[in-house]
Amino acid sequence: MSKAIRIHAHGGPEVLSWEDDNPGSPGPGQALVRQTAIGLNFLDTYYRTGLYAAPNGLPLIAGAEAAGTVVEVGEGVDWLRPGDRVAYFTAIGAYAQERVVAADRLVKVPDGISEELAAAMILKGMTAEFLLRRTFAVKPGDTLLCHAAAGGVGLILGQWAKHLGANTIGTAGSPEKVELARAHGYDHVINYREQDFVAEVKKITGGRMCDVVYDSVGKDTFPGSLDCLRPLGMFVCFGQSSGPVPPFSLSMLAQKGSLFATRPTLFTYTAKREDLEKGAAALFDVVLSGKVEVRINQRYALQDAARAHADLEGRKTTGATILIP
């Protein structure tokens, strides 16, 4: 019998329950995957607490990204075969030893990328890809600010942005995280617990401010993030680790320089199979080239997911974290 982490009621990490689970057999267009590693993300905590509503309600199996090997494929799946190494991201359902997945959401893991590495980066790395290449297409000479620069997305985004020729500024919450971010592509890193990040950005840029701000923090960094933008700059809110951005008047964007604001999601940017494949290929290529390095800084047994969630929310983790089934 396979095992999984299931949630029966919203709440803290203690609601994560290690239980028997029968994934079933794959139907048409599906594949059964035996999972090797599962990524840990703030997104997982949003579904656990109820901040995000699960598509089918409770109970639910948590988790958004994983990698493993194909065990069996359903009718109509002719491009995968048992033994293929694959990775995927999804809204929920990854915290399991085995899982049935829609085959068109799977991407093959290329030689040179381990399954642990694929699980650690598929969601975070493809998030960085669409943020940098499609939401705001970063080009040489652009100046960007990324909050949570020592987090999973932040460490990938900093390196990739530097590879694209950007001037990179990050924020982090401790001296250790400042140094970690600085070692991963950021020209300047601001300790937001000790410094006013808006004032520091103004100083660093000589008053020009930023072309784009990538903000996964939300409540605690708003509206400061808007004040870091030049006129016509773009505010990209792609997460809310401190809580959601409060409602605000659109006139604020006009007052602060005719700013643009967007709340993108990876799921929208990869809804088409073609976009999923292109994004994954770009991520695997930049990692294989050595331009972006993804380090797995924490490993937990899947059954210890509650401790992993507590550490993540307590800001005790850096970079990528994986759960081992």
Side-chain angles (χ1 to χ4, degrees):
M1 177 66 72
S2 180
K3 291 277 192 176
I5 293 287
R6 190 171 280 107
I7 298 170
H8 295 274
H10 295 305
E14 70 280 356
V15 304
L16 298 170
S17 178
W18 179 242
E19 300 179 0
D20 289 339
D21 177 63
N22 181 3
S25 299
Q30 296 179 328
L32 175 63
V33 178
R34 180 171 296 124
Q35 306 198 138
T36 306
I38 300 157
L40 178 72
N41 294 278
F42 250 104
L43 178 67
D44 307 346
T45 72
Y46 299 160
Y47 284 105
R48 190 201 74 222
T49 62
L51 181 62
Y52 285 3
N56 298 312
L58 296 175
L60 65 88
I61 294 175
E65 65 180 339
T69 57
V70 174
V71 176
E72 183 182 355
V73 298
E75 181 183 350
V77 181
D78 57 5
W79 60 277
L80 286 175
R81 63 183 62 187
D84 282 346
R85 301 189 313 131
V86 293
Y88 70 90
F89 58 86
T90 184
I92 57 172
Y95 285 13
Q97 292 176 328
E98 294 187 343
R99 184 184 181 195
V100 171
V101 185
D104 70 351
R105 294 292 91 192
L106 296 170
V107 295
K108 290 185 179 181
V109 178
D111 292 342
I113 302 287
S114 71
E115 288 159 38
E116 285 196 356
L117 183 57
M121 72 176 185
I122 190 69
L123 185 148
K124 292 175 277 289
M126 290 191 64
T127 297
E129 185 276 329
F130 87 78
L131 291 174
L132 291 169
R133 289 160 41 96
R134 291 187 280 162
T135 302
F136 181 94
V138 171
K139 61 186 184 300
D142 284 343
T143 298
L144 65 83
L145 171 67
C146 179
H147 291 298
V153 174
L155 293 179
I156 297 173
L157 190 145
Q159 297 174 81
W160 205 333
K162 201 64 198 168
H163 171 58
L164 293 173
N167 303 310
T168 52
I169 306 171
T171 68
S174 71
E176 295 77 15
K177 289 187 176 183
V178 165
E179 290 307 311
L180 182 64
R182 190 173 284 126
H184 285 76
Y186 291 93
D187 300 309
H188 307 274
V189 187
I190 302 161
N191 186 333
Y192 66 83
R193 297 189 188 278
E194 299 177 356
Q195 300 169 291
D196 179 335
F197 70 82
V198 177
E200 290 301 310
V201 166
K202 186 174 183 179
K203 186 187 306 181
I204 290 166
T205 63
R208 182 185 180 278
M209 310 311 279
C210 299
D211 299 285
V212 60
V213 172
Y214 295 112
D215 190 336
S216 63
V217 176
K219 180 181 176 182
D220 288 356
T221 47
F222 189 86
S225 289
L226 299 183
D227 295 326
C228 292
L229 288 165
R230 62 164 175 78
L232 306 182
M234 179 176 283
F235 170 59
V236 181
C237 177
F238 68 99
Q240 48 196 42
S241 61
S242 68
V245 170
F248 65 94
S249 171
L250 286 176
S251 64
M252 182 186 293
L253 300 178
Q255 294 162 4
K256 292 182 180 294
S258 298
L259 304 179
F260 296 87
T262 183
R263 181 60 173 88
T265 72
L266 176 59
F267 302 104
T268 303
Y269 275 81
T270 57
K272 296 179 180 178
R273 174 73 190 176
E274 177 184 4
D275 292 331
L276 173 66
E277 290 179 333
K278 286 181 178 178
L283 171 62
F284 291 142
D285 285 349
V286 79
V287 171
L288 286 169
S289 73
K291 301 299 183 182
V292 170
E293 179 183 8
V294 180
R295 293 183 180 178
I296 301 171
N297 291 339
Q298 297 83 208
R299 289 176 172 83
Y300 300 81
L302 176 57
Q303 66 191 81
D304 295 330
R307 182 163 61 90
H309 274 228
D311 288 350
L312 178 66
E313 292 175 299
R315 302 188 186 278
K316 296 179 181 178
T317 66
T318 58
T321 302
I322 58 172
L323 308 173
I324 307 299

